[in-house]
Amino acid sequence: MTDPSASQEHGPDSREVVRNWAITGIFWILVLGALSLAQGVFVPIISAFVLALTFSPVRRVLEGFGIPSSAAAGMIMISLLIVFCVLFYFISEALQEYLIDAPTFAEEVRRELSGLFGTIEPVLKAGDQIDALTNQNKQQTVALREPGFVSVMTQATPAVVSQLVVTLTLSFFLMASGDMFYEKLVQVMPKLKDKRRALAAARTIENQLSTYLFTISAINATLGVIIGLVMWLAGMPNPLLFGLGAFLLNYIPYIGSIGGISITLVTGLVTFDSTIQAILPALLYWIINTIEGQFLTPVLVGRRLKLNAVVVFISFALWAWVWSFMGMLLSTPILLMAKVVSDNVNGLESFGKFLGDRDDLSGSDSRLLKFVFRQKDRSAAEEA
């Protein structure tokens, strides 16, 4: 007979471990479901906190000149509104021409792509003829046209504007309150050690977020200017739109650069008759973006933001699935905040180590890895 008390001393039952993992998995599934369903609430709140943390150092600099917190927050928000309005004006002016000529542009794109893939055109036509013959005797159905781009944008504009208003308003109140958040954080922590750790984590999040976003914005602005000039020299239509597009798309990890190159390639194919001249702008875009992504950004940002590249991509895919476009923009700031919190909370240090970039191994860990790989290589050699 086995003693139940003896088994409990050796550790938890395997069924208990499975049960705990199942409960944890269900909890995180429910959290992701709630975040996805209530994105109209969570996205403006998190965006407002990111903006407030980013511009808090600017607010403190203004306060150093004797400007009150509310006035400093107002100056920052007015500056942001001016920037948003200027960007919206230039983008709307540039897009207006493309929206007017959208049907003609789409037909030209279809014709150019069909010319590139002309070898499969007979196969496609044969498939269409077979479908037509098959569906001759079928009952006729009424097809409902899906809403076009303009109608979709018209329907989405009120929601976007309302979320933007909530984000900017909440950001203003957070910055106008000064350092009240830090004061409340100190008051709710029970021990002096916890107070210091919480303050250190909050200040680290603020410093890293502001440094990261300001640096990325400067890099993206430089990239946009260079792309606009290169598109102008290459003879592309409306190079200003390409420069603004490169500036905005580069905030989206991975997908932004691919989208910019693809749009440039399609526009070049429609604009120019020569294949080399049509592909050249997209090639130049790719070269400039590669130099920025592989050399400039790692040097300026990588030393401050040490995150696991695989985890960055997983975070991007996860938040893009949960919050679509805004999730793409917020994925890296959210991951950065999670890394700092994990590094400063007891029990989460291992998770923070996993989120970080590669570190130097200790002597024992290095010897263990060498021993394991040596054993695997020896077993593979014996099997061969």
Side-chain angles (χ1 to χ4, degrees):
M1 297 291 293
T2 58
D3 188 5
S5 61
S7 62
Q8 291 179 0
E9 292 178 357
H10 289 290
D13 187 18
S14 59
R15 290 176 296 180
E16 185 69 22
V17 174
V18 173
R19 189 181 301 113
N20 292 335
W21 276 103
I23 293 174
T24 304
I26 293 172
F27 169 76
W28 284 113
I29 290 173
L30 292 175
V31 168
L32 289 176
L35 290 174
S36 178
L37 292 175
Q39 60 177 325
V41 176
F42 289 108
V43 168
I45 293 175
I46 294 179
S47 301
F49 272 96
V50 170
L51 281 177
L53 290 172
T54 301
F55 288 96
S56 289
V58 180
R59 173 184 56 80
R60 291 196 183 92
V61 171
L62 295 175
E63 290 176 352
F65 291 100
I67 301 175
S69 299
S70 58
M75 294 171 62
I76 294 172
M77 298 312 299
I78 291 173
S79 301
L80 283 176
L81 285 174
I82 292 174
V83 172
F84 288 154
C85 290
V86 170
L87 287 175
F88 179 77
Y89 172 76
F90 283 110
I91 291 175
S92 61
E93 286 289 327
L95 281 177
Q96 187 175 2
E97 300 177 5
Y98 285 96
L99 291 177
I100 294 174
D101 299 333
T104 305
F105 183 79
E107 180 62 25
E108 291 179 355
V109 170
R110 190 196 66 80
R111 186 169 61 252
E112 291 292 336
L113 293 179
S114 63
L116 288 176
F117 302 102
T119 55
I120 65 172
E121 188 70 21
V123 179
L124 296 177
K125 288 183 178 180
D128 293 338
Q129 293 175 358
I130 293 174
D131 291 337
L133 292 175
T134 305
N135 297 327
Q136 278 182 354
N137 298 325
K138 289 186 177 180
Q139 185 178 1
Q140 294 183 354
T141 58
V142 178
L144 298 177
R145 293 186 60 188
E146 296 183 354
F149 174 78
V150 176
S151 60
V152 171
M153 291 297 296
T154 303
Q155 296 175 2
T157 298
V160 173
V161 172
S162 62
Q163 292 189 13
L164 183 61
V165 170
V166 173
T167 300
L168 296 178
T169 305
L170 182 56
S171 301
F172 169 77
F173 283 115
L174 288 173
M175 287 187 287
S177 62
D179 292 329
M180 185 181 67
F181 175 76
Y182 295 100
E183 296 172 3
K184 298 296 182 181
L185 195 62
V186 170
Q187 290 175 355
V188 298
M189 291 298 170
K191 298 180 181 179
L192 179 61
K193 181 180 180 181
D194 296 332
K195 297 177 188 291
R196 291 178 176 176
R197 178 171 292 182
L199 280 177
R203 290 303 301 271
T204 303
I205 290 175
E206 177 185 303
N207 292 333
Q208 292 198 9
L209 262 183
S210 59
T211 302
Y212 167 73
L213 289 177
F214 280 128
T215 306
I216 286 295
S217 298
I219 292 174
N220 292 349
T222 305
L223 177 69
V225 172
I226 295 175
I227 291 293
L229 290 174
V230 169
M231 294 300 109
W232 176 68
L233 292 174
M236 291 287 285
N238 210 334
L240 178 62
L241 182 60
F242 283 96
L244 291 173
F247 168 72
L248 295 174
L249 289 174
N250 211 47
Y251 281 102
I252 304 175
Y254 308 109
I255 304 299
S257 59
I258 296 175
I261 295 171
S262 302
I263 294 172
T264 306
L265 177 60
V266 171
T267 307
L269 291 173
V270 173
T271 303
F272 302 108
D273 296 330
S274 173
T275 304
I276 297 177
Q277 192 177 5
I279 298 176
L280 181 61
L283 179 62
L284 293 174
Y285 193 117
W286 174 75
I287 293 174
I288 296 170
N289 199 271
T290 301
I291 294 173
E292 175 269 327
Q294 299 297 324
F295 300 100
L296 183 61
T297 299
V299 170
L300 297 179
V301 179
R303 296 175 181 176
R304 304 181 180 92
L305 184 65
K306 294 185 177 181
L307 294 174
N308 190 334
V310 177
V311 176
V312 171
F313 182 79
I314 294 174
S315 174
F316 168 78
L318 174 65
W319 292 110
W321 172 68
V322 175
W323 288 340
S324 64
F325 178 74
M326 287 303 300
M328 299 178 188
L329 296 178
L330 294 174
S331 61
T332 303
I334 291 175
L335 183 61
L336 178 61
M337 290 188 286
K339 172 71 167 60
V340 176
V341 171
S342 300
D343 290 339
N344 290 273
V345 175
N346 290 329
L348 295 178
E349 293 88 351
S350 299
F351 183 67
K353 181 72 70 174
F354 178 77
L355 295 179
D357 200 359
R358 175 176 292 173
D359 295 327
D360 294 332
L361 293 175
S362 62
S364 59
D365 291 341
S366 179
R367 289 192 295 270
L368 176 62
L369 283 176
K370 290 180 180 179
F371 173 76
V372 171
F373 285 115
R374 191 182 301 117
Q375 290 294 109
K376 288 185 176 181
D377 293 339
R378 187 178 301 172
S379 299
E382 291 177 355
E383 293 177 358

